[in-house]
Amino acid sequence: SDVCSSDLIVDTWSANSTGQYSGVSDPTEYSGLNTTFLRGVQQTDAAGVVQFTTIFPGHYWNRATHQHVLTHSGGTLLPNGTYTGGHVSHIGQLYFDASLRAVVEASSPYNTNTLPLTTNEEDVWIGPSATDQVDPFFDYVLLGPRIEDGILAWMSMAVDTTANWDAIAGPAAYWGEDGRSEEHTSELQSPPLS
């Protein structure tokens, strides 16, 4: 749709500085179903905007540093910060330029990440994501003279709210009335636990 959507539910998630995800059960790469760090859910405001405060993502096996984003259209945001209903209208990943990544990777605790670093050029998903119409790289400014002072990063995205990606965007895990139930563990099917 061409209109700003004030009811779009936006999920975002990333790996921590050492390449670990929360909310997924594989103990060799993830921190377990009982964790929810670096996962957030918000509903767009009247102008179609959301804002998240988080850390710079860490890298992991065979992937360049990225931030996941998923949108739900037609869902309901619940008082506890979770959502129900609707359908996945967008699923994707957003990236950071190499010079910013290099500065972050040299700082603590990112410099303790022992997983091999994959460059933007080596990443298998950046190429198909970048087109004449789509730039999957964040714009950013440093908030001070040192990287530790913070980064303000932003992205403008258009989402077709009628698109339905439910078939490939099943949750890694979900909350039910009786607690969590595990479903998928693949990287492409890892929306937030929230």
Side-chain angles (χ1 to χ4, degrees), residues 70-91:
L70 179 144
T71 63
H72 256 73
S73 298
T76 302
L77 190 62
L78 302 173
N80 68 356
T82 63
Y83 59 86
T84 188
H87 64 276
V88 174
S89 50
H90 175 80
I91 184 167

Side-chain angles (χ1 to χ4, degrees), residues 25-42:
S25 64
D26 180 349
T28 61
E29 297 180 26
Y30 306 106
S31 295
L33 288 174
N34 293 324
T35 60
T36 58
F37 61 83
L38 300 178
R39 293 179 177 271
V41 176
Q42 289 189 35

Side-chain angles (χ1 to χ4, degrees), residues 110-193:
Y110 297 87
N111 60 3
T112 66
N113 187 338
T114 59
L115 300 172
L117 182 63
T118 299
T119 66
N120 288 343
E121 292 79 17
E122 295 168 329
D123 190 276
V124 298
W125 291 107
I126 292 178
S129 299
T131 69
D132 291 341
Q133 294 82 30
V134 176
D135 177 4
F137 288 86
F138 280 104
D139 289 312
Y140 70 93
V141 294
L142 299 181
L143 298 178
R146 301 172 320 123
I147 198 72
E148 293 83 2
D149 296 328
I151 303 165
L152 173 63
W154 65 94
M155 172 70 62
S156 294
M157 293 177 50
V159 174
D160 176 359
T161 58
T162 65
N164 188 324
W165 294 99
D166 285 352
I168 65 164
Y174 62 92
W175 284 102
E177 288 184 29
D178 297 330
R180 277 178 242 241
S181 297
E182 185 177 348
E183 281 192 349
H184 308 286
T185 57
S186 73
E187 208 267 318
L188 281 178
Q189 297 183 345
S190 58
L193 205 52

